[in-house]
Amino acid sequence: MKYNIVILLLWSFFAASVKLEAQAWSLSEVEIQAKLKLLNKPAVKTIKSKDGDIIDCVSIYKQPAFDHPILKNHKIQKIPTFFQESQYSSEKHAFKENIEVFQTWQKSGNCPNGTVPIRRILKNDLLRAASVDHHFGLKPPPLFVNSTNTNFSESSSSFAVISENHSGVHIQSTSGSGYIGAQGDINTWNPKVQLAGDSTTAQMWLKSGNGFDFESIEAGWTVNPTLYGNNDTRLFSYWTKDSYKSTGCYDLTCSGFVQTSNVITLGAALIHVSTDSGPQTGFTVKIFLDELGHWWLSVANYNTSIVIGYWPVELFASLQHSASVVQWGGQVISSQLKHRTPHTKTEMGSGHLADGGYGHSCFINSLRVKDYSQMLKYPESTTVAAQEPNCYNFFNDVKDGQEPAFYFGGPGPSCV
Ligand SMILES: *[C@@H]1O[C@H](CO)[C@@H](O)[C@H](O)[C@H]1NC(C)=O
Ligand SMILES: *[C@@H]1O[C@H](CO)[C@@H](O)[C@H](O)[C@H]1NC(C)=O
Ligand SMILES: *[C@@H]1O[C@H](CO)[C@@H](O)[C@H](O)[C@H]1NC(C)=O
Ligand SMILES: *[C@@H]1O[C@H](CO)[C@@H](O)[C@H](O)[C@H]1NC(C)=O
Ligand SMILES: *[C@@H]1O[C@H](CO)[C@@H](O)[C@H](O)[C@H]1NC(C)=O
């Protein structure tokens, strides 16, 4: 099967296309058991969540990150002080629910200090991924197309506000250019996912590199039944060092990300999602670089900020120093996008096109970047881009004297 990704980041059109077929794979029982043993670490305590998830409280020193050969001698880092400074915590955010009870599993128990809550991976999770030719925990291998200016994956459809620091592309030195942090308030919804293998996100990306060749760290919410087994809206993180080709993964499904929080579970379902014309909920996602080159991830709401952990400096090359591009938006991954008909009915955002406005369309607002000036600011130069503007669209609502709001999304079909 060929998987397409529509990202909101098209600033060009396709010319010739290169088809890199995803390799079909299957697993024997022995391979499944071996993989599960590798993925799931011994638990100090186990919590059965009402939504069916099993959360293992795993010693912070035994988490999956330390299986990575490059992290064998890694020392767990302390939360950088700037993350606790008022600059980051006293801002006004759009959402008021209590972040301490933010995920469904938290109603069923908590993990002791010194452990990290990890969503247990089950045999069925592996089988589902294999049945749609996905490698477990990875975004499907992109089908890149060759165009005049840049290379895009043909297997995703997305919309994004892009803040790009051209001087920061291909950063090799520590002299500093580009972005060292970014954040945004992401409105949460529960869009429909139609086809096996499809997924949808609202998220932030920080990238370094371009074209076929970039490193990316990402976080936001997703509906991804292939990965998680149901259609719930979940908090996720992602990383790749090689443009989604072979490194990285969602959450803690591979070794890399170092979790420090005993409160938040990556990949666990969110309690609150927004409803049409109803109360609007969401969370702030923040990703900031520390002095040693570790990228820290936190989620926040009205008055609380929880640091989840960090992507260690060892994982990356150019991202060690800064990101050259920050993007906010949504992404639909499907085998039925672009020129393939019928177009998937998987929704982006709330499922509404962007013109619905507050309470109807999904938004991300309070977009901020930080560069070496150390100031948090609205990005000076932004581009908005959509790969399938008739299926999923966007509206960057910029009014004088008001915080801009970026709306995006759509129902999927009826656009080809
Ligand atoms: C866990 O650590 C937090 C923060 O240091 C502290 O407030 C809390 O009391 C600790 N809980 C237990 C059960 O030790
Ligand atoms: C992309 O297009 C160029 C020019 O048409 C071609 O030379 C190159 O081989 C193509 N790249 C791939 C990976 O096919
Ligand atoms: C891009 O980076 C340069 C060098 O750090 C900086 O002076 C400039 O303000 C940045 N541009 C944007 C749009 O952030
Ligand atoms: C697109 O991909 C081809 C094949 O890898 C590469 O040769 C070319 O430099 C890329 N173009 C851009 C603009 O990144
Ligand atoms: C997810 O939603 C789709 C479309 O509404 C439905 O067909 C499918 O059965 C759901 N999947 C699960 C695992 O509930």
Side-chain angles (χ1 to χ4, degrees):
M1 238 180 270
K2 300 184 194 93
Y3 280 87
N4 286 358
I5 303 181
V6 178
I7 305 199
L8 315 187
L9 0 150
L10 257 203
W11 53 105
S12 169
F13 45 85
F14 307 127
S17 78
V18 192
K19 296 200 171 66
L20 304 174
E21 292 269 353
Q23 299 229 322
W25 63 307
S26 58
L27 292 170
S28 72
E29 183 64 28
V30 173
E31 286 169 319
I32 287 171
Q33 293 310 328
K35 178 111 177 134
L36 290 175
K37 186 148 185 274
L38 189 72
L39 289 167
N40 296 315
K41 301 299 172 194
V44 170
K45 176 181 172 185
T46 291
I47 297 161
K48 285 210 167 82
S49 175
K50 293 216 163 60
D51 61 3
D53 277 5
I54 298 173
I55 306 298
D56 286 324
C57 307
V58 172
S59 159
I60 192 168
Y61 301 106
K62 298 201 170 132
Q63 61 181 305
F66 301 111
D67 286 344
H68 200 302
I70 219 167
L71 298 175
K72 277 279 177 283
N73 298 313
H74 181 84
K75 197 165 161 283
I76 295 176
Q77 301 293 302
K78 289 227 159 60
I79 297 173
T81 48
F82 67 75
F83 238 168
Q84 294 147 354
E85 283 166 13
S86 57
Q87 183 188 6
Y88 297 94
S89 57
S90 70
E91 289 163 56
K92 191 173 125 291
H93 294 298
F95 312 109
K96 299 206 162 117
E97 80 258 36
N98 178 7
I99 201 109
E100 299 279 354
V101 274
F102 166 70
Q103 298 184 303
T104 309
W105 74 273
Q106 294 167 327
K107 292 179 176 173
S108 306
N110 51 37
C111 279
N113 287 347
T115 70
V116 294
I118 304 182
R119 187 178 170 275
R120 189 184 295 176
I121 294 152
L122 305 173
K123 180 177 170 181
N124 278 342
D125 298 331
L126 300 182
L127 294 177
R128 258 193 327 274
S131 73
V132 292
D133 299 345
H134 284 191
H135 282 268
F136 183 74
L138 267 64
K139 290 190 176 183
L143 269 172
F144 282 108
V145 292
N146 216 347
S147 83
T148 43
N149 298 328
T150 186
N151 289 310
F152 289 100
S153 163
E154 216 197 13
S155 55
S156 88
S157 189
S158 51
F159 287 83
V161 174
I162 301 160
S163 179
E164 187 162 12
N165 196 321
H166 293 282
S167 64
V169 172
H170 292 313
I171 306 145
Q172 307 295 351
S173 71
T174 51
S175 59
S177 56
Y179 302 114
I180 56 171
Q183 66 184 58
D185 292 350
I186 307 182
N187 185 205
T188 50
W189 289 84
N190 184 238
K192 285 204 179 62
V193 170
Q194 187 207 6
L195 303 169
D198 283 14
S199 62
T200 182
T201 71
Q203 63 169 107
M204 180 167 80
W205 294 256
L206 282 85
K207 291 181 176 171
S208 175
N210 64 4
F212 265 131
D213 198 13
F214 57 85
E215 301 177 337
S216 179
I217 50 178
E218 311 174 9
W221 59 255
T222 183
V223 179
N224 185 337
T226 304
L227 180 61
Y228 301 111
N230 66 24
N231 290 322
D232 290 349
T233 301
R234 293 163 184 271
L235 177 74
F236 83 96
S237 65
Y238 200 89
W239 67 275
T240 177
K241 185 190 161 129
D242 62 352
S243 345
Y244 309 117
K245 283 180 207 116
S246 60
T247 58
C249 62
Y250 283 98
D251 311 331
L252 300 187
T253 61
C254 66
S255 50
F257 187 87
V258 177
Q259 179 153 343
T260 55
S261 171
N262 65 334
V263 176
I264 298 284
T265 302
L266 291 168
L270 304 177
I271 296 174
H272 300 293
V273 293
S274 306
T275 52
D276 196 73
S277 305
Q280 297 302 298
T281 68
F283 57 90
T284 304
V285 59
K286 307 180 184 190
I287 299 179
F288 286 90
L289 188 69
D290 72 12
E291 282 156 8
L292 300 172
H294 308 298
W295 285 96
W296 289 82
L297 169 66
S298 83
V299 290
N301 69 353
Y302 186 56
N303 56 11
T304 319
S305 185
I306 294 182
V307 175
I308 301 174
Y310 60 93
W311 291 276
V313 62
E314 292 92 331
L315 293 180
F316 302 110
S318 54
L319 261 184
Q320 289 187 352
H321 312 297
S322 63
S324 52
V325 183
V326 179
Q327 298 166 335
W328 298 264
Q331 179 177 51
V332 166
I333 298 180
S334 175
S335 56
Q336 293 300 115
L337 291 170
K338 307 282 167 59
H339 313 296
R340 309 224 170 78
T341 50
H343 193 280
T344 181
K345 294 189 177 99
T346 291
E347 300 173 338
M348 182 186 290
S350 67
H352 256 280
L353 291 170
D355 53 13
Y358 186 87
H360 305 288
S361 306
C362 183
F363 64 86
I364 303 183
N365 65 12
S366 305
L367 308 183
R368 293 289 183 275
V369 291
K370 184 176 155 192
D371 61 18
Y372 280 90
S373 72
Q374 301 294 331
M375 298 296 292
L376 270 184
K377 53 193 177 192
Y378 188 80
E380 282 156 38
S381 65
T382 59
T383 313
V384 187
Q387 289 180 320
E388 294 184 302
N390 299 325
C391 310
Y392 307 108
N393 69 3
F394 60 82
F395 171 50
N396 199 19
D397 192 6
V398 184
K399 290 198 192 81
D400 262 3
Q402 283 181 32
E403 181 66 45
F406 174 58
Y407 293 97
F408 62 95
S414 75
C415 58
V416 194

